[in-house]
Amino acid sequence: MKKILALILGLILSVSGTVPVDSAVMTPNVSKLSQTITDDFKVIGDKLYGIGSRDGLVLYDLKTGTLLRNYEMGSSYSEMAVSDDESHVVLIWSYNIRLFDTFGDTKQEIDRLEFGPSVMEAFEGGGDFLPNSSVLILSGDDKLTAYDMTTNEVKWMRGADSGKVTTSENYVLVENQNGGTLYSHEGEFVHEWNDVNDISLSRNDRIIVATGKTVDSYEAKSYEKSVYTLQLPAMNVELEPSGQFITVNNMPYTFDLKKIYTNTNLTDASIDLTTGGKYILATDWEYTKVYLANGFTERSVSAYIPSTLQKMTAGTTYNTSLMVKTASKKTTSVKSGVAWTTDKPQIAYVKDGKIVAKSKGTVTLKATYEGITAQRTVTVLPDPRPTDRSWLLSQKTQVARGSFLGSPHKLYGDYTKVKGLAGTFESDWGFIYKGRHQGDFMFTSTSKPQKINIITMSPSLQNRDITKAELQNVFGKPRNINENYWETFKFTKAGKTLSKHYIEEIVEYKINNKLPMYVFYDSNYRVRYISLYTK
């Protein structure tokens, strides 16, 4: 039932739009079992004993997906148990226990256990072998029983609420709808959890508990207080036997409740982890697929922002990269899948994965990747270039002369002297004019003989972030305003896009009362393009 609930949860997550993110953890598909494996299974090495959807108790080779053995079934058994040495393989249902030998033949059947005056005749909770032992702990009939399969001896029997049994090096956990109770190997009460959604015990005595608000991890023998807490409501949790990894709401986590991101989208299946996180078993309605995880050694465990981003210069744009360390102690530079922010966007901000240093000051740069956050204090040095206002004043002087600041050519100049690659200035609704790029400018000719009729530039290509207010403070109010333009314009050079912006407003100035100058504003009213025309 737990696996069915996990599968439903996975489908809900898939429908709600969960999208896999970039990750260093590769989980290749190594095999596919010919049927689904339901709740109860045990993996020993690369072999899986499990309750199959069609063949009852089955034995598979996980590396190849080969069905090695199909045990004889006479009833609808729902639980199973296998001893560590594989000498005892047991099928359990409500009123019968069937023991198989190493060849898969029925060796013994049990429908009643006695211990003094006490009798156990129902086994609805199933059972589990104590580690490295032939002693099977059984739950049912409001009792908990220890039965030695080798000696056919009931070692003890006590009253207890029935539930799913999991054993560890020192304890026995009985899970039921209300919570879970922990006992010693001798059946002595140890601890109890009430009103929880799910609970799981690892082989080395670690415990994970899910509630309507949190997921809590408990170390061995320290069950009064959790050592790790995740603020997340969870219906389903499962520790793999080594206690290193957990599934929480059908997603893999480490015991310290750090989420593990994989390159495989598993949200449309119910997942289980084998010992040490070697394999991921992903079960849908038809099959169980086997993915190699190798203990998630390439999972991200820490990150830092490189020192090359410690100092920046205002007016400059910087590429971002985050250094991520994995569990295998590798360090790689990660660019995609990282969320970057700054605490003072007026000094430096992040756009399209790049950091724009805007003005002198100190800013905290923060990067978040796969649940890991790194930050660094960044000093932005003054821009050695003229201020934006000085730059605009110089531009005003230059455009009055028929050019832009730094332009190698002027309007009415000889177009054949423009030395550069071909490009375009175009919109997604069909506006386009062509020209040649030289420096930071594109020159266009629409006349014969060829004279320069249009010069276009993009302030962002010169690392200038000019606002509408700043431009109007220098150039004044425009003659004509075309609002609500709603087009995307781009600047291209040799087929490559140099800049691309959504333009909401285009205004016209008349320089010296004759030269048209058009200014293109984006939705944030920042200057993205300026075109200077002949009369």
Side-chain angles (χ1 to χ4, degrees):
M1 179 60 69
K2 182 185 289 187
K3 181 162 286 190
I4 295 173
L5 291 174
L7 178 54
I8 294 172
L9 175 62
L11 290 173
I12 291 172
L13 289 172
S14 178
V15 170
S16 65
T18 300
V19 178
V21 300
D22 294 336
S23 174
V25 178
M26 305 299 291
T27 52
N29 180 218
V30 294
S31 67
K32 183 173 74 173
L33 310 187
S34 59
Q35 56 191 299
T36 62
I37 301 301
T38 59
D39 266 354
D40 218 0
F41 71 89
K42 180 167 183 174
V43 174
I44 300 176
D46 293 316
K47 292 182 291 185
L48 178 142
Y49 292 87
I51 303 292
S53 57
R54 296 190 294 273
D55 298 317
L57 179 59
V58 290
L59 174 62
Y60 275 97
D61 182 342
L62 291 178
K63 290 189 296 185
T64 63
T66 303
L67 178 62
L68 301 176
R69 189 177 302 152
N70 177 14
Y71 291 82
E72 177 188 350
M73 296 289 289
S75 303
S76 299
Y77 293 89
S78 58
E79 304 290 338
M80 53 147 286
V82 181
S83 62
D84 289 338
D85 62 2
E86 301 177 76
S87 61
H88 302 287
V89 179
V90 175
L91 274 175
I92 307 166
W93 75 302
S94 295
Y95 301 104
N96 181 269
I97 301 171
R98 180 179 292 185
L99 175 66
F100 296 88
D101 60 21
T102 55
F103 300 101
D105 297 326
T106 300
K107 179 179 178 182
Q108 182 182 1
E109 289 194 59
I110 300 169
D111 54 19
R112 177 186 176 92
L113 293 174
E114 298 180 1
F115 187 74
S118 299
V119 177
M120 188 177 193
E121 296 181 298
F123 314 98
E124 68 271 18
D128 195 14
F129 281 95
L130 295 179
N132 302 308
S133 168
S134 60
V135 175
L136 178 65
I137 306 297
L138 293 161
S139 175
D141 215 1
D142 291 326
K143 298 178 182 66
L144 192 64
T145 300
Y147 177 68
D148 193 325
M149 284 288 179
T150 299
T151 63
N152 294 323
E153 173 191 7
V154 177
K155 302 182 74 67
W156 53 261
M157 185 181 293
R158 60 158 294 161
D161 290 339
S162 300
K164 178 179 172 59
V165 177
T166 307
T167 64
S168 68
E169 292 174 357
N170 294 287
Y171 302 111
V172 175
L173 175 67
V174 179
E175 302 174 58
N176 53 50
Q177 291 183 345
N178 298 319
T181 306
L182 199 64
Y183 301 92
S184 70
H185 284 185
E186 291 72 37
E188 298 171 345
F189 174 85
V190 176
H191 196 84
E192 187 175 28
W193 288 266
N194 290 312
D195 300 321
V196 299
N197 292 338
D198 201 7
I199 185 170
S200 182
L201 172 70
S202 71
R203 185 68 173 256
N204 58 355
D205 303 332
R206 285 178 163 180
I207 284 179
I208 190 84
V209 175
T211 73
K213 295 182 178 180
T214 64
V215 178
D216 298 293
S217 295
Y218 295 85
E219 287 284 10
K221 302 181 181 179
S222 301
Y223 304 127
E224 297 298 329
K225 185 177 181 181
S226 62
V227 290
Y228 302 104
T229 296
L230 177 65
Q231 298 296 324
L232 177 71
M235 293 299 298
N236 175 273
V237 292
E238 191 74 26
L239 267 166
E240 51 80 22
S242 77
Q244 299 177 69
F245 306 107
I246 311 163
T247 57
V248 178
N249 287 344
N250 210 43
M251 294 290 180
Y253 283 75
T254 55
F255 178 74
D256 59 356
L257 300 175
K258 299 292 190 299
K259 188 175 180 179
I260 300 173
Y261 296 82
T262 71
N263 71 316
T264 305
N265 184 1
L266 301 172
T267 55
D268 58 350
S270 167
I271 70 168
D272 293 286
L273 306 177
T274 68
T275 303
K278 182 176 181 180
Y279 294 109
I280 299 174
L281 307 180
T283 300
D284 57 23
W285 300 110
E286 296 183 86
Y287 304 102
T288 292
K289 294 181 181 179
V290 182
Y291 296 87
L292 185 64
N294 276 331
F296 300 107
T297 57
E298 297 309 312
R299 71 185 187 278
S300 303
V301 295
S302 65
Y304 66 91
I305 299 172
S307 59
T308 52
L309 295 176
Q310 189 168 348
K311 287 187 178 181
M312 301 181 183
T313 301
T316 307
T317 300
Y318 296 84
N319 292 322
T320 57
S321 65
L322 183 68
M323 304 307 295
V324 175
K325 293 184 179 180
T326 67
S328 64
K329 303 188 184 304
K330 292 181 182 178
T331 301
T332 56
S333 176
V334 175
K335 294 184 178 180
S336 60
V338 185
W340 294 89
T341 58
T342 67
D343 63 339
K344 298 174 185 175
Q346 71 275 19
I347 295 175
Y349 62 91
V350 181
K351 183 177 181 181
D352 299 329
K354 295 185 177 182
I355 305 169
V356 180
K358 185 165 175 58
S359 60
K360 175 184 176 181
T362 301
V363 63
T364 299
L365 178 64
K366 186 180 291 186
T368 301
Y369 176 73
E370 296 189 350
I372 300 168
T373 298
Q375 63 183 44
R376 180 178 285 279
T377 299
V378 176
T379 300
V380 179
L381 302 174
D383 190 342
R385 307 172 305 163
T387 64
D388 286 346
R389 176 173 172 79
S390 297
W391 183 80
L392 284 168
L393 288 169
S394 298
Q395 289 289 9
K396 186 176 183 180
T397 300
Q398 284 300 111
V399 296
R401 298 170 183 170
S403 184
F404 287 112
L405 184 67
S407 171
H409 304 283
K410 295 182 179 181
L411 290 175
Y412 303 105
D414 187 351
Y415 182 72
T416 61
K417 292 184 178 180
V418 179
K419 306 300 180 183
L421 297 174
T424 64
F425 180 48
E426 59 183 289
S427 77
D428 52 3
W429 283 8
F431 168 87
I432 183 172
Y433 51 82
K434 302 176 181 180
R436 291 184 195 150
H437 283 270
Q438 188 171 339
D440 293 326
F441 310 91
M442 191 182 83
F443 301 90
T444 300
S445 175
T446 60
S447 64
K448 293 184 179 181
Q450 288 187 305
K451 298 293 183 182
I452 297 172
N453 303 112
I454 308 171
I455 306 175
T456 305
M457 59 93 67
S458 174
S460 62
L461 295 179
Q462 297 186 22
N463 292 317
R464 293 288 178 181
D465 187 18
I466 308 297
T467 66
K468 181 178 182 178
E470 289 172 329
L471 187 130
Q472 285 191 354
N473 186 264
V474 173
F475 283 87
K477 292 185 177 180
R479 284 197 178 184
N480 297 307
I481 300 175
N482 190 341
E483 297 178 305
N484 301 321
Y485 212 80
W486 301 337
E487 279 194 59
T488 298
F489 283 74
K490 63 180 179 180
F491 219 10
T492 73
K493 178 180 178 180
K496 179 180 179 182
T497 299
L498 299 180
S499 66
K500 184 177 181 180
H501 299 284
Y502 179 77
I503 300 302
E504 189 165 302
E505 181 176 299
I506 301 176
V507 302
E508 180 190 21
Y509 286 89
K510 282 294 179 70
I511 306 302
N512 297 334
N513 289 319
K514 60 178 182 178
L515 296 177
M517 184 180 81
Y518 294 93
V519 180
F520 298 72
Y521 294 111
D522 66 12
S523 56
N524 295 315
Y525 294 101
R526 282 180 158 78
V527 180
R528 292 309 178 190
Y529 305 102
I530 305 175
S531 284
L532 186 62
Y533 283 68
T534 57
K535 184 177 178 181

